[in-house]
Amino acid sequence: MRFGILSHMALLTQHSNGPASGRSSGARRASLLPDLALLGVAAIWGGSYLATQELAAVAGTAAVLCARFLPSAVIMLVAVGALRRKRSLRGVIRAGSLLGLLRAATIVLETIGVTLTSATNAGLIIGLSILLTPLLESLVTRRRLTGQLLGSVGLALVGIALLISGSGFEAMTIGDGLILLAAITRALLGVAEARVTRSGESDVLGLTTVEITFGAILFTLWGGGSLLHQLPSFTAFDWSMILYLSLGCTILAFLGQLWATKRTSASRAGMLLGSEPGWALLIGVVIGGKQLSLVGGIGAAVLLGAMLGGRRAEERWRATGVWAGDGLGKPAGEPYFARGCASR
């Protein structure tokens, strides 16, 4: 379906402006789709902070995570059965479980860590995953990062620091250590997703189903009893937050992240997903009634500039490499869909 739409768009452009113009326009659109998907995921996750805070105040952290993942796993398993894709799960159990373990570790470390430190410190430290992801990817692919790409990553960190520094930084705590571990596992997750989706085990639906089911099992063991105890007290608003966390922050976001990472690199995905604190702040301002300071506004502009510059730097970094066996695929500027849909 996506291939047909993109092909139709390319033919319309080709008819009016010539073959070269049509191919160029189609390539640009194809290269932008993963970026837009990742920004959408970051925006959805940005809203999860407010939703999780509201629910955790009522039911506790363990119950919230169980309420988020258990319905998501049921929906995904039903979808796989309805689409008759059960066989697709067999080949991705190992890879999906690894992704699920890294995802669950990141969520638990973030959730516990943020209760033991300030939101400012947590937001800055988790932003280090933007820097750690390209470093880890460089080690895995044995390719040196360019100065321009590292500069864009560093600029993005500066932007995040300015965004969240309105209330000032506080002394380091044990919570900061947990958030730092979360930044490491998040970076590992990004690199692992890029490697897995470029390998033979690249069925996005199957991987996402196994990943979510793995998390659902862990979080049900941890918070299932607490959730059952709290269910009678849930209001309609609480159920709407659970729906948002399950459908938006888990199913759609995980599917979108894997789909987009399959078509780009871990470094680029990490940088775009690193805009999550900015989206969280924006949602807090629009919905939560928070105020954005001048410094925060400057930080948002710096982060946006870093992502735009990093996108171009990352494209050049991938385009100049030798891609046989490195797991990263073709440069983002090449029309991925033009390679055909039969292989997927």
Side-chain angles (χ1 to χ4, degrees):
M1 179 66 71
R2 290 190 301 268
F3 177 71
I5 294 174
L6 288 173
S7 298
H8 181 62
M9 293 169 62
L11 286 174
L12 289 176
T13 307
Q14 182 178 7
H15 178 72
S16 59
N17 297 324
S21 174
R23 287 193 297 268
S24 176
S25 177
R28 283 194 297 269
R29 288 189 179 95
S31 67
L32 279 174
L33 286 176
D35 291 354
L36 293 175
L38 289 167
L39 285 174
V41 170
I44 291 173
W45 281 345
S48 70
Y49 290 94
L50 193 58
T52 301
Q53 285 178 349
E54 294 287 342
L55 279 175
V58 175
T61 300
V64 170
L65 292 177
C66 179
R68 173 181 173 179
F69 274 81
L70 186 57
S72 301
V74 172
I75 292 172
M76 291 300 295
L77 289 171
V78 170
V80 168
L83 295 173
R84 298 180 180 179
R85 298 279 296 276
K86 293 180 181 179
R87 292 184 179 180
S88 67
L89 298 180
R90 299 174 185 174
V92 297
I93 290 179
R94 181 177 177 182
S97 297
L98 172 62
L99 297 182
L101 178 62
L102 290 172
R103 179 84 66 182
T106 301
I107 291 175
V108 170
L109 289 168
E110 284 180 346
T111 304
I112 297 176
V114 78
T115 65
L116 300 175
T117 187
S118 67
T120 299
N121 283 21
L124 178 60
I125 295 171
I126 199 64
L128 291 175
S129 61
I130 299 178
L131 176 60
L132 295 173
T133 300
L135 292 177
L136 288 172
E137 187 173 34
S138 177
L139 290 175
V140 170
T141 59
R142 298 179 182 178
R143 292 188 58 223
R144 183 178 299 177
L145 296 171
T146 64
Q148 188 176 8
L149 181 56
L150 285 173
S152 297
V153 169
L155 190 62
L157 290 175
V158 172
I160 291 175
L162 292 173
L163 260 176
I164 63 178
S165 62
S167 58
F169 298 103
E170 298 180 4
M172 295 289 289
T173 66
I174 188 173
D176 295 324
L178 294 177
I179 296 295
L180 179 58
L181 289 176
I184 295 173
T185 57
R186 178 183 280 200
L188 287 170
L189 175 63
V191 175
E193 285 180 334
R195 300 292 290 184
V196 167
T197 54
R198 295 294 186 181
S199 71
E201 298 178 306
S202 59
D203 182 79
V204 171
L205 180 63
L207 282 169
T208 304
T209 301
V210 173
E211 180 182 355
I212 292 176
T213 302
F214 187 92
I217 293 172
L218 291 181
F219 293 134
T220 299
L221 292 174
W222 182 28
S226 176
L227 177 61
L228 285 175
H229 179 71
Q230 296 293 337
L231 279 178
S233 64
F234 281 177
T235 65
F237 177 77
D238 295 331
W239 284 112
S240 69
M241 293 296 98
I242 291 175
L243 189 65
Y244 174 74
L245 290 173
S246 295
L247 293 182
C249 300
T250 306
I251 295 177
L252 291 179
F254 288 12
L255 282 171
Q257 183 183 6
L258 276 177
W259 177 86
T261 302
K262 184 175 181 177
R263 290 155 174 81
T264 184
S265 71
S267 299
R268 183 157 161 183
M271 185 173 296
L272 292 168
L273 292 173
S275 65
E276 181 183 339
W279 291 108
L281 182 60
L282 178 62
I283 292 171
V285 170
V286 175
I287 299 178
K290 296 182 179 180
Q291 293 185 347
L292 179 64
S293 65
L294 176 61
V295 174
I298 294 174
V302 170
L303 180 58
L304 179 60
M307 287 191 297
L308 292 175
R311 183 180 188 274
R312 291 190 292 269
E314 189 272 344
E315 282 182 352
R316 285 191 287 269
W317 179 65
R318 284 200 297 148
T320 56
V322 179
W323 300 105
D326 67 0
L328 292 180
K330 291 289 185 181
E334 180 175 333
Y336 178 87
F337 299 118
R339 290 152 58 188
C341 57
S343 61
R344 301 191 297 282

